[in-house]
Amino acid sequence: MSDIPATMTAMEIGTPGPPEGLRPVSRPVPEPGPGEVLIRVAAAGVNRPDVLQRRGLYPPPRGVTDIPGLEVAGEVVRAGTGVTNPAVGARVCALVAGGGYAEYVTAPAAQCLPVPAALSMEEAAALPETFFTVYYNVFMRARLRPGETLLIHGGSSGIGTTAILLAKAFGARVIVTAGTAEKCTACLTLGADAAIDYKREDFVARTLEATGGQGADVVLDMVGGDYLARNMAAAAANGRIAVIATQHGTHAELDLVTLMKKRLWVGGSTLRPQTVAAKGEIAAALRREVWPLFESKSLRPVIHARLPLREAARAHALMESGAHIGKIVLFTR
Ligand SMILES: NC(=O)c1ccc[n+]([C@@H]2O[C@H](COP(=O)([O-])OP(=O)(O)OC[C@H]3O[C@@H](n4cnc5c(N)ncnc54)[C@H](OP(=O)(O)O)[C@@H]3O)[C@@H](O)[C@H]2O)c1
């Protein structure tokens, strides 16, 4: 397409460190490879892993651009070899392994989903990273079923708000932990059945109390470390614990007797290094099971703040302040 420029503005990390290191630079517009599309980015979601990457703690996988950004929404402006779907001109949101903080990004066609008609580009940009992560861990791996109880740590985070919406949409009972009374209230407003201020209350005791002593059937854990033992104590018999982050440390002691007696399953995953085929399978499941809920207007992501792409540093500072509830989104124009 002739209106695609040779260069674009992208936000580069430069030297790992504080948010101010994020700065606008001019980079060549990338070329879509076989099986990929080029997207003109309207908006990009900000996620905690971007913050870790900026600090030098989460390097991009081999062969992936150093520009941060794991999710975008925009228009397909060029298709690589073999791609007919999505077509040029389609409005898509996409999970990318990097490069989202830019005016253009390439994405595997398999990782693109249509922008739901009821949502804006900014709302659609807030979907991929958390919806892929939550759907994969909670539903495809931990197999949460209607009527079961899901305990979500960090209920007001981007991941947490998505988990509340999805679990409620599929008929589960939801208990969350969050660090302030205001965040607990926000989670209850979103549909959580119980919210525990983890800084003031013991989440194990409160979870058992809220489930009549049974415990949670599934735990979505972004804390790790010493939370493993406490999650196992808060889990129901046949419970499943899905670990997706290690804010309290990467090592934990596993009590095998509790594991066996309660017949627990403990698993974990990271999304970014998975193959395009694996991410394509998650995309297909989301399109089939979740996307109809956007069209029927029963699902809408929680956006805390929208900022211009050039103010990515401010977006990171906001995320690091912990003041946000839901997602932070960057827009390009
Ligand atoms: N494995 C994967 O595939 C994958 C993919 C995406 C994200 N993640 C991880 O998922 C987490 C959330 O990501 P995000 O983008 O949604 O970030 P975010 O909005 O910044 O959320 C971080 C959350 O962690 C919570 N938290 C910290 N310590 C806690 C504790 N002791 N108990 C309960 N909650 C605690 C915070 O809650 P308060 O503010 O209430 O203290 C906050 O809500 C991050 O750790 C990220 O690295 C993993």
Side-chain angles (χ1 to χ4, degrees):
M1 272 186 120
S2 55
D3 67 339
I4 303 172
T7 59
M8 63 177 187
T9 299
M11 298 303 296
E12 189 183 73
I13 289 174
T15 313
E20 298 71 45
L22 279 167
R23 53 170 194 232
V25 291
S26 180
R27 288 279 184 102
V29 169
E31 274 294 322
E36 293 182 342
V37 292
L38 178 67
I39 298 170
R40 181 185 291 132
V41 176
V46 176
N47 293 282
R48 181 66 56 164
D50 309 346
V51 171
L52 299 177
Q53 180 174 340
R54 195 207 70 231
R55 289 194 197 145
L57 303 173
Y58 191 49
R62 192 190 300 255
V64 169
T65 173
D66 60 312
I67 300 296
L70 300 173
E71 58 185 355
V72 296
E75 184 191 341
V76 175
V77 290
R78 187 174 280 163
T81 319
V83 178
T84 50
N85 185 23
V88 171
R91 287 157 52 89
V92 295
C93 53
L95 181 76
V96 290
Y101 291 16
E103 291 175 312
Y104 291 85
V105 68
T106 55
Q111 293 172 207
C112 294
L113 286 156
V115 172
L119 300 191
S120 67
M121 282 289 197
E122 288 161 18
E123 288 173 315
L127 302 178
E129 179 68 12
T130 63
F131 275 76
F132 275 68
T133 301
V134 171
Y135 195 77
Y136 178 63
N137 283 283
V138 173
F139 293 92
M140 294 173 75
R141 305 244 304 152
R143 306 211 165 271
L144 181 70
R145 289 185 294 266
E148 287 192 326
T149 298
L150 172 65
L151 169 62
I152 304 164
H153 290 300
S156 67
S157 63
I159 291 278
T161 51
T162 295
I164 295 171
L165 294 173
L166 277 179
K168 290 311 295 180
F170 286 102
R173 206 160 161 258
V174 169
I175 302 173
V176 301
T177 64
T180 66
E182 185 206 355
K183 288 181 175 182
C184 286
T185 304
C187 294
L188 293 170
T189 306
L190 266 183
D193 299 282
I196 304 165
D197 181 342
Y198 72 84
K199 291 184 179 158
R200 299 162 63 95
E201 301 171 286
D202 173 20
F203 79 79
V204 177
R206 281 288 319 275
T207 300
L208 293 173
E209 186 187 292
T211 53
Q214 297 295 304
D217 300 292
V218 174
V219 183
L220 180 63
D221 181 35
M222 59 176 72
V223 181
D226 58 320
Y227 265 40
L228 177 62
R230 299 176 71 195
N231 287 333
M232 287 170 66
N238 299 304
R240 289 86 74 197
I241 298 167
V243 181
I244 60 163
T246 55
Q247 299 183 77
H248 275 200
T250 53
H251 287 76
E253 203 168 280
L254 178 65
D255 175 357
L256 295 170
V257 173
T258 305
L259 187 83
M260 292 186 294
K261 273 191 172 166
K262 291 177 90 168
R263 301 177 300 282
L264 300 177
W265 175 94
V266 179
S269 73
T270 54
L271 184 60
R272 199 179 192 185
Q274 293 193 47
T275 62
V276 170
K279 292 173 186 171
E281 272 179 36
I282 306 171
L286 281 169
R287 188 163 188 169
R288 200 175 53 242
E289 307 293 338
V290 176
W291 252 234
L293 302 174
F294 290 119
E295 303 304 349
S296 64
K297 301 198 170 108
S298 44
L299 216 55
R300 179 154 235 134
V302 180
I303 311 287
H304 179 85
R306 300 164 163 83
L307 295 166
L309 175 65
R310 282 173 175 273
E311 292 183 28
R314 204 148 69 83
H316 276 219
L318 172 60
M319 178 163 272
E320 285 178 290
S321 77
H324 63 292
I325 292 173
K327 297 279 302 191
I328 302 167
V329 176
L330 302 170
F331 58 86
T332 55
R333 56 181 69 81

